[in-house]
Amino acid sequence: MKNPIIYLAILCTILSCKKDEKEVVLKKQTLGHFTLSKDKIQPGDTLQISYNGEDSDMSAIYYYMVNNTYFPEDIEFKEKESQIIVPDSATGLAFNFKENGQYDSNNKKGYLLPLYTKDGEMLPASQPSLYYYTLNEGKNYDIEFEKESILDSLNKAVSTNSELKELWGDNYIYFIYRQDKEAGKTLMEDEVIALNANEDLTEDDAIRLYGFKNALGEKEYADSLKTVILEKYPNGSFANRQIVMEFSREKDFNKKLELYNSYQSPVEGEDNMKNYMLSQIANYYAGQGDFENFKEYAQQMDSNSSKASLFNSVAWDNAEKGQYLEEMSVISKQSLDLIKELENDPDNKPNYLTTSQHKKNLERNYGMYADTYAYILYKTGNLKEALEYQKVAFEQYEDVEIAERYLEYLVEDNQYEKTEKEASSMIENSISSDKIINLYETAYKETKPNDTNFSETLSKLEKIAFDKETEDIRNKMVDKSAYDFTLKDMSGKEVSLASLKGKTVVLDFWATWCGPCKASFPGMQQVVDKYKDDENIEILFIDTFENGPKREQQVAEFIKNNKYTFHVLFDKSEEKSNGFEVAEAYGVTGIPTKIIIGPDGKIKYEQVGFSGTEKLVQELEILFEILKNS
């Protein structure tokens, strides 16, 4: 068993200097390419840091932990040096450096740093904070650790320290339960005993007891307690949560409205539950063409971000149908104005994003909403203005459909030279489709009416794109151990990874509820069809992150109804947690995720998300060719 302390290892170098004729020893700390000006860091310290990697275009962030919560901050380097101030509340630090699109894992140990008191003693909360961070984020940054060892150390550290136990609260108990049901069950049962010993429970205590009993599977007890809480606290926070749950399940709109009207906001400031209900009600009225009521309920939302998302969604849905275009123009423009308001309000940044990440998110949202607004402007005959906003959208999203609309508007505006220039750049950078090629050809023939070399020119651009894509893929390739698994397919046959050694294996993690997964499947079917007779390639579709008694039937019906010829495997729920065995082993946190395993049985490439059919197909074709010749 690995010792979890290795993740906190500190390498020190000692430098000396003189000040006021007294020798002061400055102890620096070096981990991999990273150097800090102090070895035993304290909350409130100002640190000089440097990073001596190979990539001058490196980016970096750091997380500071406050018990079982962690917050990201940007690091701005100038000539590979920077300075940070450790917050007074911090209990641990984790640094993440990205070069050439890959995180520097410091030989799989990460850059994890405990904090100390003025007396040089490690803060009691420091190691638990770092353990918690490692369990949650370690795989995202390619840190290797033994889950059971780290989990056991975390549990012991918090459970044996009454102050930490109180600070970490119930979120910690549920976290442990998600990781290891048996360990979590023990913690819950201890809390249940303590709560039952109290004859006069507050509402909060009763809610905690209900939560524990529900998680432990004692449904009858939990249901009876639920009745008592609702009777005793009819206007409490628990009652409000039940209203929201009923609201989400209710199909009858009038009953939904009644439920919303019975809701009493239990929090000050933004109320996400209230915003959710208002959004649903406003969206319903928009669907009925009742924009007076739409505005009335939408304006009650106290989250500009949620409101902007609602406005964009309603505007796009109606614009696609070609209806209410005047109203949609106003609503769509409001979504853009709301994003601008958020950009000018630094206090709205969520704690889980750095300032630069938040800024980038807002810019991308603005780009998405600008695409909607441009589409409406185009449909209402405002071509010039549509082009302005579509250009903004394309600058934020290298998306094929957005690119198609941008070129289409340019062609309609007779901007053939610009169309040719933009289209050739798109194709050269693997943003391509039949429509983009057709628009490029139209512009090419307009600007070069006597040139008969279009096919040759196009082939050269596609060759450049292919070479760039190949080089990019090579730079992102890895060489990591693959988890050996055995899973059942839809016919009940067991399939093991070990039995496929010598082949290139694609593991496509998906679920029937996942929109991007389903959007990627036409492209994946193309790949399956092309390589169905290649005995050296195996493509496995691993259904994960869904459960239930009808799971297998639901998956089989989905595959059959869509006429996919996929080899589907069912990921197994872990006995001691709420996770799934293979997804957990491969560090899958979002789907679709594709893991490509080479003939040597090692992971060679990882791809998360879906960015278009053409790009997906080409990427896999390139990977197959690289692995075939490696």
Side-chain angles (χ1 to χ4, degrees):
M1 181 179 286
K2 294 180 183 177
N3 183 345
I5 299 300
I6 64 172
Y7 303 108
L8 311 180
I10 301 173
L11 305 175
C12 300
T13 59
I14 301 176
L15 300 176
S16 300
C17 62
K18 288 188 177 181
K19 182 180 179 182
D20 296 335
E21 305 198 358
K22 290 183 180 180
E23 189 172 345
V24 178
V25 178
L26 297 177
K27 294 184 179 180
K28 288 190 176 182
Q29 175 175 189
T30 300
L31 296 88
H33 299 299
F34 181 43
T35 300
L36 302 95
S37 58
K38 191 173 182 181
D39 64 337
K40 290 191 173 184
I41 305 164
Q42 299 170 27
D45 275 347
T46 298
L47 299 176
Q48 306 301 320
I49 62 176
S50 63
Y51 183 82
N52 298 308
E54 298 176 359
D55 186 1
S56 60
D57 196 27
M58 173 268 301
S59 62
I61 65 170
Y62 77 95
Y63 288 92
Y64 69 90
M65 291 98 211
V66 182
N67 296 306
N68 61 339
T69 307
Y70 41 90
F71 306 93
E73 295 287 347
D74 293 309
I75 303 177
E76 299 295 335
F77 277 96
K78 186 175 182 181
E79 297 181 356
K80 297 190 176 183
E81 294 189 353
S82 187
Q83 175 180 288
I84 68 166
I85 300 174
V86 182
D88 292 334
S89 58
T91 55
L93 300 174
F95 291 83
N96 297 301
F97 305 96
K98 197 171 190 177
E99 295 186 287
N100 297 316
Q102 299 289 320
Y103 284 105
D104 172 9
S105 68
N106 187 28
N107 293 321
K108 311 294 184 181
K109 297 192 294 287
Y111 293 98
L112 308 177
L113 301 166
L115 299 183
Y116 294 82
T117 67
K118 291 181 180 179
D119 298 327
E121 298 293 326
M122 190 182 295
L123 295 175
S126 206
Q127 280 190 356
S129 293
L130 293 170
Y131 293 149
Y132 182 79
Y133 171 85
T134 301
L135 286 163
N136 278 294
E137 303 290 341
K139 287 184 178 178
N140 294 335
Y141 298 108
D142 203 19
I143 299 172
E144 284 187 355
F145 60 94
E146 286 201 5
K147 176 181 172 180
E148 282 130 13
S149 175
I150 295 281
L151 189 60
D152 184 57
S153 298
L154 171 63
N155 201 4
K156 286 178 180 174
V158 176
S159 296
T160 57
N161 185 314
S162 58
E163 185 178 352
L164 285 182
K165 190 175 178 181
E166 184 176 350
L167 283 169
W168 285 52
D170 291 349
N171 286 338
Y172 164 72
I173 296 174
Y174 285 108
F175 171 75
I176 294 292
Y177 185 72
R178 288 193 299 272
Q179 304 289 328
D180 184 333
K181 279 191 175 179
E182 289 304 314
K185 183 179 177 182
T186 300
L187 293 172
M188 286 184 183
E189 287 173 343
D190 288 344
E191 292 298 314
V192 166
I193 291 170
L195 287 166
N196 281 331
N198 188 347
E199 294 180 0
D200 188 21
L201 294 180
T202 64
E203 182 188 9
D204 287 343
D205 288 337
I207 292 171
R208 291 183 67 223
L209 184 57
Y210 168 81
F212 293 140
K213 287 293 189 180
N214 207 35
L216 291 168
E218 298 180 35
K219 191 173 185 309
E220 188 175 340
Y221 187 108
D223 286 346
S224 63
L225 187 57
K226 173 181 173 180
T227 302
V228 171
I229 298 172
L230 290 173
E231 288 177 354
K232 192 171 182 180
Y233 305 101
N235 299 315
S237 59
F238 185 81
N240 274 307
R241 285 201 292 272
Q242 298 306 309
I243 288 171
V244 177
M245 289 173 66
E246 279 188 59
F247 179 95
S248 65
R249 292 191 294 261
E250 182 57 61
K251 303 298 182 185
D252 184 282
F253 176 72
N254 290 324
K255 290 180 180 177
K256 274 184 177 287
L257 206 53
E258 288 176 14
L259 286 165
Y260 169 72
N261 289 329
S262 68
Y263 178 84
Q264 297 182 28
S265 183
V267 299
E268 293 182 5
E270 284 190 14
D271 183 342
N272 291 331
M273 294 191 292
K274 182 179 179 181
N275 286 326
Y276 160 72
M277 291 189 288
L278 285 167
S279 176
Q280 293 286 303
I281 293 168
N283 192 59
Y284 172 83
Y285 280 122
Q288 301 300 307
D290 183 350
F291 296 109
E292 287 302 315
N293 271 313
F294 166 78
K295 291 173 188 175
E296 179 185 337
Y297 284 92
Q299 293 303 330
Q300 294 177 50
M301 297 170 67
D302 55 25
S303 165
N304 279 353
S305 178
S306 299
K307 197 185 298 183
S309 177
L310 168 67
F311 286 177
N312 178 69
S313 177
V314 167
W316 178 259
D317 288 346
N318 282 285
E320 275 198 309
K321 296 171 185 173
Q323 61 188 21
Y324 310 123
L325 292 181
E326 287 188 15
E327 291 91 342
M328 293 310 105
S329 178
V330 173
I331 290 171
S332 180
K333 183 61 167 61
Q334 284 179 319
S335 73
L336 295 171
D337 293 341
L338 286 166
I339 295 298
K340 285 298 181 184
E341 284 183 34
L342 289 169
E343 287 178 343
N344 295 325
D345 178 15
D347 294 333
N348 76 79
K349 182 183 79 66
N351 288 332
Y352 54 83
L353 295 175
T354 69
T355 299
S356 65
Q357 289 169 342
H358 179 53
K359 182 174 182 289
K360 183 64 177 174
N361 274 6
L362 290 175
E363 287 172 349
R364 286 182 67 78
N365 281 341
Y366 189 90
M368 184 195 307
Y369 302 166
D371 177 50
T372 301
Y373 188 49
Y375 186 54
I376 296 168
L377 290 169
Y378 172 71
K379 283 202 161 193
T380 53
N382 297 312
L383 183 58
K384 293 289 187 185
E385 196 176 358
L387 266 168
E388 291 177 21
Y389 283 95
Q390 196 65 32
K391 184 174 185 294
V392 171
F394 179 67
E395 287 171 351
Q396 286 300 324
Y397 281 91
E398 293 185 348
D399 176 88
V400 170
E401 290 186 6
I402 289 176
E404 288 174 349
R405 282 191 283 277
Y406 181 38
L407 295 179
E408 185 180 358
Y409 302 166
L410 284 171
V411 166
E412 187 145 338
D413 198 41
N414 300 322
Q415 295 190 45
Y416 297 115
E417 286 188 8
K418 188 164 188 179
T419 303
E420 183 190 355
K421 180 181 177 182
E422 294 281 16
S424 62
S425 176
M426 289 173 188
I427 295 167
E428 190 176 297
N429 287 287
S430 299
I431 305 168
S432 185
S433 67
D434 290 342
K435 186 172 183 178
I436 287 174
I437 290 171
N438 289 336
L439 290 164
Y440 176 47
E441 184 175 12
T442 297
Y444 188 94
K445 289 180 177 179
E446 286 287 341
T447 56
K448 301 179 177 68
N450 300 318
D451 191 327
T452 59
N453 297 321
F454 174 75
S455 296
E456 183 181 338
T457 302
L458 176 63
S459 295
K460 286 180 180 178
L461 291 173
E462 290 179 332
K463 177 65 166 60
I464 292 170
F466 183 85
D467 290 344
K468 280 183 179 179
E469 190 75 13
T470 301
E471 183 63 23
D472 185 50
I473 287 172
R474 286 187 185 278
N475 288 335
K476 292 178 181 177
M477 290 184 75
V478 297
D479 191 50
K480 302 194 297 188
S481 297
Y483 173 73
D484 188 17
F485 60 81
T486 300
L487 296 175
K488 288 184 179 181
D489 63 16
M490 289 196 299
S491 65
K493 179 184 175 183
E494 289 191 337
V495 178
S496 70
L497 182 62
S499 69
L500 302 173
K501 192 166 184 181
K503 298 184 177 187
T504 292
V505 181
V506 178
L507 307 179
D508 190 339
F509 292 87
W510 70 287
T512 57
W513 51 261
C514 170
C517 300
K518 291 185 282 190
S520 74
F521 280 175
M524 288 305 298
Q525 185 64 59
Q526 289 182 35
V527 176
V528 168
D529 289 342
K530 182 172 182 176
Y531 294 95
K532 64 182 178 182
D533 297 323
D534 191 328
E535 61 183 15
N536 295 312
I537 293 174
E538 187 76 26
I539 303 173
L540 302 174
F541 293 80
I542 301 181
D543 176 69
T544 192
F545 296 163
E546 60 182 331
N547 236 324
K550 295 184 179 180
R551 174 191 179 188
E552 294 186 12
Q553 178 186 338
Q554 184 177 330
V555 168
E557 287 177 355
F558 171 80
I559 296 297
K560 180 182 178 181
N561 291 340
N562 288 281
K563 299 180 181 179
Y564 293 134
T565 58
F566 298 163
H567 192 180
V568 175
L569 308 183
F570 293 98
D571 200 358
K572 291 185 286 192
S573 297
E574 292 185 323
E575 290 183 7
K576 289 189 174 183
S577 77
N578 294 332
F580 286 79
E581 179 192 321
V582 182
E584 175 80 15
Y586 282 97
V588 175
T589 56
I591 52 177
T593 289
K594 292 170 184 60
I595 307 288
I596 290 79
I597 298 169
D600 62 356
K602 289 193 171 183
I603 297 171
K604 300 300 179 182
Y605 197 77
E606 297 167 305
Q607 178 200 76
V608 181
F610 173 62
S611 55
T613 297
E614 290 82 0
K615 189 173 181 65
L616 167 65
V617 172
Q618 184 185 66
E619 194 169 37
L620 288 174
E621 288 175 345
I622 290 171
L623 276 162
F624 293 158
E625 193 64 26
I626 290 172
L627 293 171
K628 178 182 176 181
N629 297 315
S630 61

